[in-house]
Amino acid sequence: MDITPALAPSRQLIQKYGGAVFTIGGKPYASSVIVFPELTLHWPVASFEEVNEAALEPVVFRAQEVEILLLGCGKTQAFVPPSLSQSLKRHGIILDS
C-alpha cells in the first residue's frame, strides 16, 4: 500500500535520504539544497560553518513563503549564532537547527 500523500505535481516532497543523497520530487541531489514548497535549489554550502546571512539570501528573498527554516547540520548537532537567528526573525522566519 502506497501511503505517500497526494500532492500537486509542483510540490516538492522529500522522499528519502541515504548515502549522502536526498531524493526530492523523484530527483536525486548529492549536495546541499534549499527546498521550498514548489522549488528545490542547489545550495553552494559544503559545511555548517559556511551558513551565514549571505548563504541564506535565497531564503530571505522568498521570506513571504517561509515561516520556519529547518536547517540540517549533519551528523552532529550545531547551533547558528544568535545574530543569524535574529536576522532571519526580522524577516519573519523562525530558524530551527
Side-chain angles (χ1 to χ4, degrees):
M1 176 190 331
D2 182 5
I3 60 169
T4 304
L7 298 174
S10 62
R11 299 296 282 193
Q12 300 296 291
L13 176 66
I14 301 172
Q15 296 161 303
K16 65 181 175 177
Y17 173 77
V21 176
F22 288 94
T23 301
I24 304 166
K27 296 178 184 176
Y29 295 88
S31 62
S32 299
V33 292
I34 299 175
V35 183
F36 295 101
E38 298 192 9
L39 175 69
T40 298
L41 299 174
H42 169 72
W43 193 34
V45 171
S47 70
F48 191 78
E49 292 74 28
E50 294 178 43
V51 177
N52 56 36
E53 287 186 46
L56 292 172
E57 283 181 15
V59 176
V60 171
F61 181 75
R62 292 176 173 82
Q64 292 182 351
E65 302 172 43
V66 180
E67 293 178 35
I68 299 172
L69 173 62
L70 178 59
L71 184 62
C73 52
K75 293 181 180 183
T76 59
Q77 186 174 13
F79 299 96
V80 298
S83 59
L84 183 55
S85 293
Q86 289 301 317
S87 174
L88 290 169
K89 193 172 185 178
R90 284 192 293 275
H91 295 282
I93 301 169
I94 304 300
L95 176 63
D96 188 5
S97 63

